[in-house]
Amino acid sequence: MIAAIVIATLIRAELTMEILLALFILIGHFVLGFLDDYIKVVKKRNLGLRAWQKLLGQIIIAAVTIFIATKELGIATNLWIPLANTSIDLGALYYVLVLLVIVGASNAVNLTDGLDGLASGEMAIASSVYCAICLMTGHGELAIFCAAIVGACIGFLKFNFHPAKIFMGDTGSLALGGAFAAMGILTHTELLLPIVGLVFVCEALSVILQVISFQTTGRRIFKMSPIHHHFELSGWSELKVVFVFWTVGVIAGAVGLLMF
């Protein structure tokens, strides 16, 4: 998947600094995910990379992203507010936002990768929306990057749709999550990410709420987290969960476009 995205982008897109940064974020997270999977599968260490190691890698990726985006691409520290047609200058806090976007998006897509075709289908939908946003904002080369992700995800579904013959693992899901973050940062639409990627947000929030609830009260809010497993344990078939979540993703993407 990652090879397909990189090769298609290199062939069709002009190698601007924007495209190189998008590819850096994608490949950086690919390396993190690969190391995690390698440790789990080859080294037989079930936990893979330790949490601090993964976070350190994401901080390094975010630091490089911030430097290139602000110094080379001239991206301002303003935060665009959807619907309000205005923006506010966050100053140094914008750098913290970029870090949160990168860490949040990559981990949210990673958590969504739990059912056959769920993460790849959601990424195809979200990337299609951002392909349109890129075209509307004059980011034509970045639109090619988004389209390459759509194609790779749809191609992957041939093998991953139920019953799955292959899994993307952290190698794929972290990379796709990083790419999703890149779309929001490079188009300066960071607040649209949680709207377009509503399913990813719900998956991540379900894990956070489950952990907080269990550690503070000893009770679980969901039968199991991430939330797609809750619906499975509630009697939904795997296919039903995937199709319903895809539908939510399409609606969220449409809302995001309308808000843009």
Side-chain angles (χ1 to χ4, degrees), residues 23-248:
L23 290 174
F24 166 75
I25 297 172
L26 172 81
I27 295 171
H29 283 88
F30 160 78
V31 171
L32 277 180
F34 176 80
L35 289 174
D36 196 42
D37 286 337
Y38 180 82
I39 292 170
K40 290 175 185 174
V41 177
V42 179
K43 297 297 184 180
K44 308 297 182 183
R45 229 174 68 192
N46 290 337
L47 295 179
L49 285 176
R50 302 185 189 282
W52 70 266
Q53 293 172 323
K54 189 179 294 186
L55 181 60
L56 177 61
Q58 291 170 319
I59 290 174
I60 293 172
I61 293 171
V64 174
T65 300
I66 290 167
F67 177 81
I68 295 176
T70 55
K71 302 299 182 182
E72 299 297 326
L73 295 178
I75 293 179
T77 55
N78 293 337
L79 178 65
W80 174 69
I81 311 297
L83 295 178
N85 195 29
T86 187
S87 60
I88 55 174
D89 188 359
L90 295 181
L93 286 178
Y94 180 74
Y95 308 139
V96 178
L97 175 66
V98 170
L99 174 62
L100 292 176
V101 167
I102 287 177
V103 173
S106 58
N107 287 324
V109 175
N110 181 229
L111 290 170
T112 305
D113 182 32
L115 298 180
D116 296 352
L118 180 57
S120 49
E122 291 294 343
M123 267 305 298
I125 294 165
S127 299
S128 297
V129 171
Y130 261 96
C131 185
I133 289 174
C134 287
L135 290 173
M136 288 188 288
T137 54
H139 294 270
E141 305 306 315
L142 192 61
I144 295 173
F145 174 72
C146 296
I149 294 174
V150 175
C153 289
I154 292 175
F156 182 71
L157 280 173
K158 176 178 172 60
F159 304 97
N160 183 244
F161 191 67
H162 186 75
K165 302 177 185 66
I166 189 171
F167 302 104
M168 70 170 72
D170 285 6
T171 305
S173 59
L174 276 178
L176 291 177
F180 187 49
M183 296 174 199
I185 293 167
L186 294 176
T187 57
H188 225 15
T189 57
E190 295 86 357
L191 290 186
L192 270 187
L193 283 175
I195 297 168
V196 175
L198 178 62
V199 171
F200 301 137
V201 172
C202 291
E203 295 277 13
L205 279 178
S206 69
V207 174
I208 295 170
L209 292 174
Q210 185 88 321
V211 170
I212 292 174
S213 177
F214 187 74
Q215 290 186 346
T216 56
T217 68
R219 297 178 180 178
R220 291 181 172 85
I221 300 173
F222 307 103
K223 295 179 180 179
M224 186 177 178
S225 64
I227 197 170
H228 55 257
H229 291 311
H230 170 82
F231 287 104
E232 270 195 301
L233 293 177
S234 297
W236 288 24
S237 68
E238 184 172 356
L239 283 176
K240 181 178 180 180
V241 176
V242 170
F243 282 130
V244 169
F245 278 41
W246 281 0
T247 302
V248 172

